[in-house]
Amino acid sequence: MARVLVAEDEEEILVLLETVLDDAGFAVAAAGSVAAALRILDEGGIDCVLTDLGLPGQSGMVLAQAASAAGIPVVVATGSMPESEAFEAAGWQLLRKPFRMHDLVTAIEAALAARPGDAVPVLRDFLESMAER
């Protein structure tokens, strides 16, 4: 069972995402901020990250970059209109809000299917470099 880290600051949406992903057969770890999500990511055992961009404190981009650096696939859910080419170049799935729950599950499955099998986790190095800034 793949474990998905979901970072979303709106509690009602977070609960809905957890329920949908659980029903689809995923184990879910939930976080309401980038800082909390990075702690969970650092513990290991995460197979995919779903993050909102507009999180309190830091942008979900920080989480997405950390996950990518660790070889973990990323799905970015956002209501803003970023250039999808930048997300595709990073290897991230883009899920525009509002989205259907079926599209959420499909995006997570696609991200997991595209996961590089030989990625070397470098999360600790990334977190240390971020701490130095």
Side-chain angles (χ1 to χ4, degrees):
M1 175 183 307
R3 188 168 180 227
V4 179
L5 170 56
V6 178
E8 170 60 59
D9 62 320
E10 293 186 39
E11 184 65 30
E12 292 173 357
I13 294 173
L14 183 59
V15 169
L16 175 62
L17 296 174
E18 285 180 283
T19 301
V20 169
L21 292 174
D22 183 62
D23 288 348
F26 298 104
V28 179
S33 69
V34 171
L38 288 172
R39 286 190 296 273
I40 294 168
L41 195 61
D42 191 37
E43 293 170 2
I46 298 298
D47 299 300
C48 185
V49 169
L50 169 65
T51 185
D52 186 8
L53 288 183
L55 295 170
Q58 295 176 297
S59 166
M61 290 289 271
V62 172
L63 174 59
Q65 291 166 344
S68 288
I72 298 169
V74 175
V75 176
V76 176
T78 182
S80 63
M81 297 307 233
E83 294 297 321
S84 61
E85 294 83 20
F87 290 87
E88 290 170 7
W92 304 339
Q93 298 283 327
L94 178 60
L95 191 59
R96 295 191 190 275
K97 291 180 179 179
F99 52 82
R100 295 178 304 186
M101 293 303 120
H102 171 74
D103 294 334
L104 166 66
V105 173
T106 300
I108 296 291
E109 289 172 343
L112 287 166
R115 172 179 42 195
D118 59 353
V120 177
V122 292
L123 179 59
R124 291 194 196 282
D125 292 340
F126 176 81
L127 292 175
E128 287 173 11
S129 71
M130 292 300 293
E132 293 171 4
R133 291 183 182 184

